[in-house]
Amino acid sequence: MPLTLTSSAFADNGFFPAQFTCDGENVSPPLSWSELPEGTAELVLLLEDLDGPGGPQVYWVLYGLDPASGGLEAGKVPEGAVGGKNDYGRTDWAGPCPPAGRAHRFAFTLLALSEPSGLAEGASPRNDLPYALSGKVLAQAQLSAKYARQR
């Protein structure tokens, strides 16, 4: 079986519940992973707005996730994990917050690494991540959801 990423809060390709967005509590949703490849040493997680102005925008990135943890609780970052710098200069959760009107597509990407990335808090997913992951990605999984703001 391939690496899987799921959430108890929404279905793949469904809609993001407002509580996890800038219109609600703005906390990260619960996520679960399974079927990790043998030899997975670290997990990396990204959330991107695929319909951002000018192309995909990174909303959230976590490095150093323990493969044995099985997932993330809503609003929590597990011990040992560190936040990378998103496209807004933040290292914490930045929930979906597209302009009002049209729904944007958001994608969580989970990467299973064969060895630790070595990335520190504040590392850039655009500048640092490609080099840190080179030759280390064993598998990846995606979980997608849409969100449209009403205001």
Side-chain angles (χ1 to χ4, degrees):
M1 297 255 336
L3 177 63
T4 60
L5 179 62
T6 60
S7 178
S8 59
F10 59 91
D12 189 29
N13 293 314
F15 280 87
F16 242 108
Q19 75 186 80
F20 304 111
T21 72
C22 66
D23 294 321
E25 296 172 36
N26 204 19
V27 297
S28 59
L31 298 171
S32 299
W33 47 77
S34 60
E35 307 301 328
L36 276 70
E38 188 173 324
T40 300
E42 178 184 330
L43 296 171
V44 171
L45 180 68
L46 291 104
L47 172 63
E48 294 178 282
D49 177 350
L50 302 178
D51 299 314
Q57 290 181 296
V58 176
Y59 271 58
W60 193 41
V61 60
L62 285 178
Y63 309 120
L65 289 165
D66 180 358
S69 67
L72 304 176
E73 292 180 48
K76 305 239 186 215
V77 173
E79 190 174 324
V82 294
K85 194 172 284 188
N86 66 17
D87 285 344
Y88 304 98
R90 297 173 50 174
T91 58
D92 59 342
W93 169 259
C97 198
R102 180 175 74 87
H104 279 217
R105 298 168 299 138
F106 290 85
F108 286 97
T109 302
L110 181 68
L111 302 166
L113 307 183
S114 60
E115 57 187 86
S117 66
L119 292 165
E121 186 163 3
S124 164
R126 301 215 187 271
N127 299 323
D128 303 322
L129 192 60
Y131 300 106
L133 300 186
S134 181
K136 297 178 184 176
V137 179
L138 295 172
Q140 75 175 42
Q142 272 201 322
L143 174 64
S144 298
K146 299 173 213 66
Y147 187 68
R149 298 184 73 201
Q150 303 304 310
R151 304 175 222 176

